[in-house]
Amino acid sequence: AIELQPQWNVPHNNLARLYLSSGKEKEAITNLEVAIKENQQNRAAYMTLASLYERSGDSDAAISTYEKAVAADPNLWSAHNNLAYLLAEHRDDKADLERALSFAQRAEELRPEDPTILDTVGWVQYKAGAVDDALATLEKAYAKQPDSGVINFHLAQLLIEKDRKPEAREKLEKALSDE
């Protein structure tokens, strides 16, 4: 199918899944890179490839792949969200944090009130130094998904910053019990 229709994304994506299920991550990455070269609108290939890079610890390649994904599809909320998070976690200069906030806010525009996205927005705000805004955003995320370990962990970090240690401890315990 790939030979007959190289731009058709389905066989590329299925082959990548097959490689992954067989433990052949390197082959899956190569296949996904080819799939993107053949069809630069292949959203699934971008997302899977970026995720593989993330999992392997190559944050620069993951960031680059997510950037290409949002360029190919400006409405791909998950790419905006993941890109924002990675920029906030792996880059600490002001320009990258501003870009991260912009990507997070775009994800929020695309999926308003989504607790996962609110968590990312709040975390990026925190990393950028806007602690009060971050606290308000993370409390909103928490209200929507109080059992999320990630949201509890991020909220605990802010509560520590605000010297609200008993509440932070409660959120940390909840975050750890989620694992």
Side-chain angles (χ1 to χ4, degrees):
I2 290 171
E3 286 179 24
L4 292 174
Q5 298 227 308
Q7 291 189 345
W8 187 25
N9 61 346
V10 173
H12 285 288
N13 298 346
N14 288 339
L15 183 57
R17 275 194 220 87
L18 180 63
Y19 282 137
L20 288 172
S21 69
S22 302
K24 298 178 178 179
E25 191 169 298
K26 194 174 188 178
E27 289 87 345
I29 287 172
T30 301
N31 177 71
L32 291 165
E33 289 170 342
V34 169
I36 290 169
K37 209 178 276 184
E38 293 294 334
N39 178 1
Q40 295 180 357
Q41 302 302 312
N42 187 340
R43 296 166 41 176
Y46 282 116
M47 296 304 293
T48 304
L49 181 60
S51 176
L52 288 173
Y53 286 140
E54 249 184 284
R55 198 166 56 195
S56 72
D58 191 346
S59 60
D60 289 335
I63 287 169
S64 174
T65 304
Y66 283 129
E67 287 172 333
K68 291 172 187 168
V70 299
D73 184 352
N75 295 321
L76 189 55
W77 66 269
S78 53
H80 283 276
N81 186 68
N82 295 357
L83 177 55
Y85 187 80
L86 282 177
L87 285 169
E89 284 296 297
H90 297 282
R91 308 273 171 84
D92 56 4
D93 65 73
K94 186 176 178 172
D96 279 324
L97 289 173
E98 287 173 4
R99 286 181 59 231
L101 187 56
S102 174
F103 287 117
Q105 289 169 333
R106 177 64 180 144
E108 185 180 18
E109 287 172 16
L110 294 166
R111 292 197 40 132
E113 305 301 315
D114 182 311
T116 301
I117 293 171
L118 289 170
D119 173 65
T120 300
V121 172
W123 192 242
V124 172
Q125 289 169 325
Y126 171 68
K127 292 285 197 159
V131 177
D132 291 333
D133 291 340
L135 184 58
T137 304
L138 285 169
E139 285 175 335
K140 190 174 175 182
Y142 176 80
K144 293 182 177 301
Q145 198 170 11
D147 294 328
S148 166
V150 173
I151 293 171
N152 274 284
F153 177 76
H154 288 160
L155 187 52
Q157 296 299 306
L158 269 79
L159 291 168
I160 290 168
E161 183 99 8
K162 299 297 276 178
D163 201 30
R164 293 167 51 185
K165 291 183 173 77
E167 292 171 87
R169 179 185 196 94
E170 174 191 320
K171 301 296 184 247
L172 281 173
E173 287 173 356
K174 202 168 191 179
L176 291 173
S177 71
D178 185 51
E179 297 301 319

